Amino acid sequence: MTAKQIIDTYISFFQKRGHRQIGNSPLVPENDPTTLFTSSGMQPLIPYLLGEPHPAGSRLVNAQNCFRAVDIEEVGDNRHSTFFRMLGNWSLGDYFKSQEIPWLFELLTEGFGLPKEKLYVTVFNGFKNIERDNDSYGIWSELVSKDRIFFAGVDKNWWSRSGIPENMPVGEIGGPDTEVYYRFDDVEHKPQCKDNPVECECGKFLEIANSVFIQYQKTEQGFIELPQKNVDFGGGVERLLAAIEDRSDIFQTSLFTPIINSIEQESGKAYLKNKKEMRIIADHLTAAVFITNSGIKPSNKDQGYILRRLLRRSFDNFYLLKGENIRAVVEKIVDQYIPTDEYLKVNFEEIELTILEEEQNYGRTLQKAKSFIENKYEERLIDGVKKISAQDAFILYSTHGLSPTQIRSLGYVFDEQEFADKMEDHQKLSRTGAQQKFRGGLADHSDLTIMGHTATHLLHQALRSKFGEQLHQTGSNITSERIRFDFNFDRMLTPEEIKQIENTVNDKIGEDLPVHFEIMPLTKAKQIGAIGLFDEKYQQDVKVYFIGHPGEKFYSVEFCGGPHVNFTGQLKKFKIIKVENIGKGQKRIYAKVNDQI
Ligand code: SER
């Protein structure tokens, strides 16, 4: 079975059971200030798990491209990758455990042909006033032998975007889960491992499926039940492929082998002797291809910074193996993913160019770093002494962007402990910054954020009314502090034009127009001229928001998941804070509403 066949089998299995396929959301989420990347299939569905009706109904299925930056340091073993495709099926208050578990078992054993005796299951053991999941245990005991079912606590069998209950911010949703593991016979346990998936960390048991029962929301007072009981299933394609091919190393499956072969060829080294380096190159470059495909460029900020880090780690490891032509590896990665992600073909040149430009930039950075050290240590270096101070090594890291490994390849020696202490202080500081930046799990649902969504529709329409229908949104990001809106426009707006746009939006706020939505077939939405970003490929029914009085011509008609205010008057006032050029004929507006001003 190929990765594509796994995806197709899964989607049609659930379609036959009444699920509608929904699109693969962008890897870089729009309008979600709480995270830099889409890291699970459920992330774009949060409003619907909370109770908002989904236009495609209460049974959904998809394959979602995901990226998990938290796993960067884990890559190098037999099973971790930062980029992966997650198969997902959801019940939004529809079916529950007694339906989900038998379906999953049928899918794994009959759909994917996995031998029943190699499957192990874990079930939630209870936590505070949330009971042990005896229901799931009972259902599983009818399907697999009881000696392969294990109970575990919140650290293993509880799922939320922020992990265990105590890490969840108020407002966040989650619940107990039940997981399925595949057992590999060729992996030897480490001495500290026990022979079950809960107490083993050597990779003998691979988690291939996770059904989360999202039924709780955290409040100041503790957990409350959500109005509906949801199922949120997730299974990684790369890991399922490893189980189906009985390969305990995901990098030796039919998906990764051609990529690893190309690294072997370009470096003249063997995978079996250089596993860690080659796994990092294969995973990080794959992630970089998909992040670049989302329009991100390497930079020192946010997603661009993560992309830069992935690329530079790939280059470091590639050069360590004396690899010469990284372009060949990038080409092989794109080849391998085209069957499932056809658009890579169209964007290939841009992706390749971005990666190769960063390689050149990195080359220049290395040169500058060398000159900085050579100028400073001139005499001692001439004497052949390459010892530099931990402070200078840290400058190479923080200012020149070199990783500690790269500093050592350049042949510099420094006090490792002092350097590690400096790194720790630095990381503490950036963690505090990041927490402030991404604080509050559901900040995007605060009143101000909801107002921001409505203001974005008014701004979009005001721009189109003034400059014409060819102008459209190319991106947006809304936080409880401000709105950011990107659109295509060749020249800079004049101060008068900016004022006019601001006035138009304020007029519409003054008119206190009603806002409502309707769910309709995509064809109808297009017929009535709805604007906005939407995924044409899968969606049949879409949600469309109308601003204006029903019966009269609407001011704005736009595709959107919502939520929105009920009347534009709730926005009180609108102010444009900044307009900037973001390149490639695109402009960006920062604006505020109501109490943000
Ligand atoms: N949200 C769960 C996960 O990411 C299941 O989809 O594992």
Side-chain angles (χ1 to χ4, degrees), residues 39-42 68 86 90 159 207 210 212 232-234:
S39 60
S40 61
M42 61 77 84
R68 292 190 174 170
M86 187 186 274
W90 293 273
W159 198 90
E207 184 198 328
N210 182 14
V212 188
D232 159 35
F233 171 80

Side-chain angles (χ1 to χ4, degrees), residues 75-110:
V75 178
D77 65 9
N78 66 335
R79 58 195 182 283
H80 279 95
S81 62
T82 56
F83 175 82
F84 60 100
R85 274 83 58 85
M86 187 186 274
L87 302 176
N89 62 272
W90 293 273
S91 155
L92 303 172
D94 190 317
Y95 59 86
F96 208 45
K97 298 173 186 176
S98 60
Q99 190 79 85
E100 163 67 11
I101 295 173
W103 274 345
L104 173 58
F105 184 71
E106 188 186 338
L107 171 81
L108 295 176
T109 52
E110 291 172 33

Side-chain angles (χ1 to χ4, degrees), residues 265-383:
Q265 205 168 335
E266 294 309 317
S267 63
K269 305 270 183 324
Y271 174 66
L272 292 179
K273 290 194 175 149
N274 300 279
K275 284 186 182 172
K276 186 168 180 199
E277 293 80 5
M278 293 202 188
R279 288 167 176 170
I280 293 175
I281 299 166
D283 167 71
H284 285 14
L285 271 187
T286 304
V289 162
F290 279 91
I291 296 173
T292 309
N293 178 68
S294 310
I296 303 295
K297 301 277 176 221
S299 73
N300 293 331
K301 253 177 74 182
D302 299 343
Q303 289 97 341
Y305 170 70
I306 303 279
L307 175 59
R308 171 157 286 168
R309 206 164 138 211
L310 289 167
L311 283 172
R312 293 189 174 190
R313 270 173 69 101
S314 318
F315 301 148
D316 284 352
N317 283 282
F318 193 62
Y319 304 150
L320 218 61
L321 300 178
K322 306 271 182 280
E324 280 181 7
N325 177 15
I326 207 155
R327 175 199 291 247
V329 184
V330 176
E331 278 169 13
K332 187 49 77 183
I333 291 171
V334 171
D335 273 358
Q336 284 303 94
Y337 283 86
I338 277 179
T340 45
D341 298 80
E342 235 177 292
Y343 49 82
L344 291 178
K345 212 190 283 183
V346 181
N347 300 344
F348 178 66
E349 276 181 30
E350 181 72 22
I351 294 172
E352 197 179 47
L353 194 72
T354 306
I355 295 178
L356 296 180
E357 266 176 17
E358 180 63 7
E359 195 186 15
Q360 286 179 357
N361 270 338
Y362 193 35
R364 283 194 288 271
T365 303
L366 291 181
Q367 268 319 319
K368 274 197 215 148
K370 269 191 183 161
S371 321
F372 162 74
I373 294 295
E374 278 163 18
N375 288 339
K376 199 158 174 185
Y377 289 79
E378 201 176 345
E379 286 169 27
R380 277 166 290 162
L381 285 177
I382 289 168
D383 287 347

